[in-house]
Amino acid sequence: MVLSEQDILSRAQAAFLGLAVGDALGATTEFMTPAEIRSRFKVHHKIVGGGWLHLKPGQVTDDTQMSLAIARALLQAGRWDLPGIADGFVAWMKSKPVDIGATCRRGIRDYMLSGRLESPCNEWDAGNGAVMRMAPIALFCFGDDEMLERCALAQARLTHNHAYSDAACIAVGRMVQQALRGAHRHTLHAITRDLTSVHPKFRFNDYRGHAGAYVVETMQTVFHYLFTTGSFEECLTGVVNQGGDADTTGAIAGMIAGAHYGLEAIPRRWVRRLDGAVREEVLDAAPRLVGLSPWAQRREESE
């Protein structure tokens, strides 16, 4: 499928918006079990806030906020700027966000104290906190797989340095980029097969329903629902009703499913409930990030 420039930019918006919508939807059921969710909601499918963080309806968490910090740094610099991203994370942490993961906090503090831009490899860094912020990286690097890999690992290792986190970041970035191009589902599935061929723990054909912050569980949940459902709404609803780290599974599923299904597939009722400032910023940032990408540069040179 060959998509027009406008279609690609629209899918880019859907990826970033899908991340934020999935975050806001999933925050309500974070740390709940599926049984607890069924008891309280039957099926959780509305952006209502609450949850353990006592959020307002449509409020987002660290998944979206850290992604926006990356987007702002790149758009301000107009180029790849890892120190700028790190400084953005510092400013975000100093703003006293509603939530921040322990691994992210540690990495940001290390940068503040030492200026170090890469955390040392750590067996405890196999969380999902680097994967959740891959949307702006995928958009900025669109059209250059080597650049995607390099930038994905650089942003990840500001806070997370583990082979599973690295591999998941690259796989998610590739899935978003292929979806922007209008790739069919089997192309996205092929990326997961490449991942599981190197790291078999990510296999999801016998999904056990675990949806914690361990990046393997996170990706198994996202992949299971991405490939067993037929719409953005069905995918996101399935993911967040697994509970666990539902804001992050929702965010990651949202960025991939958003790019795959497109802007019109994201339920309007969810978009309307999303925090207005967040909604406007992600919709504005997405096409501008793609505008900095190698894909956009090649188009300009050919004109």
Side-chain angles (χ1 to χ4, degrees):
M1 181 187 303
V2 179
L3 298 183
S4 69
E5 178 179 1
Q6 187 53 49
D7 286 336
I8 289 172
L9 295 178
S10 176
R11 285 175 184 254
Q13 289 182 309
F16 216 154
L17 183 64
L19 181 158
V21 164
D23 179 6
L25 183 70
T28 303
T29 55
E30 187 178 14
F31 299 138
M32 296 177 71
T33 67
E36 289 170 339
I37 296 168
R38 286 193 298 272
S39 176
R40 181 167 180 182
F41 299 105
K42 293 186 178 177
V43 176
H44 172 56
H45 57 88
K46 297 179 181 179
I47 293 181
V48 294
W52 76 281
L53 292 170
H54 307 288
L55 300 177
K56 298 176 182 177
Q59 188 175 357
V60 295
T61 72
D62 52 345
D63 306 77
T64 306
Q65 291 165 349
M66 295 191 81
S67 297
L68 283 170
I70 292 174
R72 291 167 190 151
L74 296 177
L75 291 171
Q76 181 174 344
R79 56 175 174 78
W80 179 247
D81 183 9
L82 189 61
I85 293 171
D87 289 340
F89 287 171
V90 170
W92 167 72
M93 188 172 76
K94 287 183 175 179
S95 73
K96 299 181 179 179
V98 67
D99 186 30
I100 179 171
T103 306
C104 288
R105 183 187 297 275
R106 186 194 68 218
I108 297 168
R109 283 187 59 82
D110 284 351
Y111 169 72
M112 290 173 60
L113 296 173
S114 68
R116 185 172 61 196
L117 287 168
E118 181 172 320
S119 299
C121 187
N122 189 327
E123 64 177 310
W124 303 107
D125 282 6
N128 56 21
V131 189
M132 71 188 189
R133 51 188 199 239
M134 273 302 299
I137 302 297
L139 304 185
F140 176 79
C141 298
F142 184 51
D144 188 329
D145 190 67
E146 185 279 330
M147 181 183 178
L148 171 68
E149 183 171 338
R150 173 170 49 84
C151 294
L153 298 186
Q155 74 84 20
R157 291 176 181 174
L158 283 169
T159 56
H160 293 67
N161 192 338
H162 190 283
Y164 290 167
S165 171
D166 290 351
C169 284
I170 293 168
V172 168
R174 286 173 175 160
M175 292 176 80
V176 170
Q177 290 192 345
Q178 287 296 326
L180 293 184
R181 296 182 181 277
H184 293 292
R185 186 185 297 242
H186 68 264
T187 303
L188 304 184
H189 199 279
I191 296 172
T192 72
R193 295 196 298 274
D194 290 341
L195 173 64
T196 57
S197 69
V198 178
H199 298 290
K201 282 197 173 184
F202 283 100
R203 289 174 180 160
F204 58 98
N205 54 314
D206 184 24
Y207 179 59
R208 304 296 179 86
H210 302 301
Y214 176 38
V215 70
V216 170
E217 293 185 0
T218 298
M219 298 317 305
Q220 288 172 336
T221 300
V222 169
F223 294 157
H224 172 76
Y225 283 101
L226 183 67
F227 295 114
T228 60
T229 57
S231 69
F232 180 93
E233 181 173 0
E234 189 180 2
C235 174
L236 269 287
T237 300
V239 164
V240 302
N241 277 272
Q242 283 300 130
D245 201 15
D247 60 333
T248 300
T249 54
I252 297 170
M255 72 176 81
I256 302 170
H260 178 56
Y261 289 109
L263 202 55
E264 295 305 314
I266 303 177
R268 294 298 96 188
R269 68 183 189 281
W270 289 353
V271 176
R272 287 193 298 268
R273 291 290 275 176
L274 187 64
D275 177 275
V278 170
R279 179 176 63 243
E280 294 308 312
E281 186 170 8
V282 298
L283 289 172
D284 174 71
R288 294 173 62 202
L289 287 166
V290 175
L292 295 173
S293 71
W295 172 83
Q297 292 170 16
R298 286 196 298 272
R299 287 182 65 87
E300 289 179 4
E301 291 168 359
S302 65
E303 291 178 352

